[in-house]
Amino acid sequence: ARMSGKQLTKEEELLLQDFSRNVSTKSSALFYGNALIVSAVPLWLYWRIHSMDPIQSAILFVLMTGVSTYLLSFAYKHVKFILKHKAAQKVEEGVTAEIMKKFADDKKVSKKEKDERILWKKNEVADYQATNYSIFYNNALFLALVVLCSFFVFKTMSPNVNYVLSMGIASGLVALLSTGTK
C-alpha cells in the first residue's frame, strides 16, 4: 500500500490489518462452522415438533440452512469488528501492566519493542474477546428469534411456510442488527 509516495512498514501493515474489517481465514472458518451448526439446530425443532419430514423437506432445509449460515457469519464478522475496538480499550491498562512487569528487569528491550508487544498483546486479547462475544450474542439472538417466530408469530401457518419465514426473518434480522454502529 502506498500513501503519498511513502511505503508502509511491515509493522504498519500488521497494525492496519488488526483494525480492518477483514477477518483471518481461521476466524472465517470458525464463523462459518459455528453459523452452520447454529443454523442446523432449528432442523430438529421442525422435524420433531412441527412434524416436517426431513426427506421431503431436504431441499428447503438445505437452502434455508445455507442462507442462514451466510447471514449469521456476516453478523459475527460485523459485531466482532465493532466489539474489538471497545475490548481493546478495556484491556489496554491490564495488558500494559503485564508487559511492563514482564520486561521491568530486562534493559535490552527498547521502549519501541515494549510498545509493539503491548499493541500486539492488546489486539490478540481484544480479538479473542470480540470473537467469542460476537458468536454468543448472535447465536442467542438468532435462536430466540427462531423460537419466537416459530411458536408465536407464524404458529398458524403450514410448517414449510413457518420454517422459511422463521429462519429467514431470524437470520435476516440478526444480520441487519449487526450493521449498527453501537
Side-chain angles (χ1 to χ4, degrees):
R2 303 200 90 189
M3 292 185 344
S4 64
K6 184 181 160 194
Q7 192 74 25
L8 291 177
T9 66
K10 193 162 186 79
E11 290 86 17
E12 289 170 330
E13 285 186 20
L14 284 170
L15 184 61
L16 283 172
Q17 183 182 331
D18 281 336
F19 289 100
S20 76
R21 280 197 183 267
N22 299 330
V23 292
S24 66
T25 306
K26 183 179 157 190
S27 281
S28 190
L30 177 70
F31 287 163
Y32 277 103
N34 264 290
L36 179 62
I37 291 166
V38 173
S39 295
V41 167
L43 295 178
W44 182 86
L45 171 82
Y46 283 90
W47 170 41
R48 299 309 253 168
I49 297 174
H50 290 290
S51 302
M52 286 178 72
D53 180 34
I55 305 300
Q56 288 180 333
S57 306
I59 293 172
L60 196 59
F61 282 168
V62 168
L63 181 70
M64 289 312 294
T65 300
V67 168
S68 178
T69 297
Y70 174 78
L71 291 172
L72 281 175
S73 185
F74 173 87
Y76 294 155
K77 182 176 143 185
H78 283 271
V79 171
K80 177 186 174 181
F81 177 75
I82 293 164
L83 293 176
K84 187 174 177 181
H85 298 294
K86 291 177 183 177
Q89 290 170 343
K90 288 181 180 175
V91 300
E92 185 169 16
E93 194 176 311
V95 168
T96 302
E98 178 189 330
I99 298 293
M100 289 306 199
K101 183 178 172 186
K102 185 176 180 181
F103 293 106
D105 299 331
D106 195 346
K107 302 295 181 205
K108 291 180 230 159
V109 180
S110 68
K111 178 167 176 20
K112 183 182 181 209
E113 191 175 338
K114 285 180 188 174
D115 289 345
E116 286 173 1
R117 286 181 187 229
I118 289 168
L119 185 63
W120 180 81
K121 183 71 172 176
K122 180 179 76 168
N123 284 328
E124 183 182 42
V125 170
D127 188 78
Y128 178 78
Q129 288 181 348
T131 299
N132 288 329
Y133 186 78
S134 175
I135 290 170
F136 170 76
Y137 169 79
N138 286 303
N139 288 352
L141 183 59
F142 170 73
L143 293 172
L145 287 170
V146 166
V147 169
L148 181 76
C149 289
S150 175
F151 290 115
F152 300 104
V153 180
F154 305 119
K155 68 179 178 185
T156 59
M157 298 188 171
S158 74
N160 286 346
V161 173
N162 183 324
Y163 177 72
V164 170
L165 291 175
S166 294
M167 290 290 285
I169 288 173
S171 57
L173 196 55
V174 168
L176 177 67
L177 292 174
S178 76
T179 60
T181 55
K182 297 279 184 236

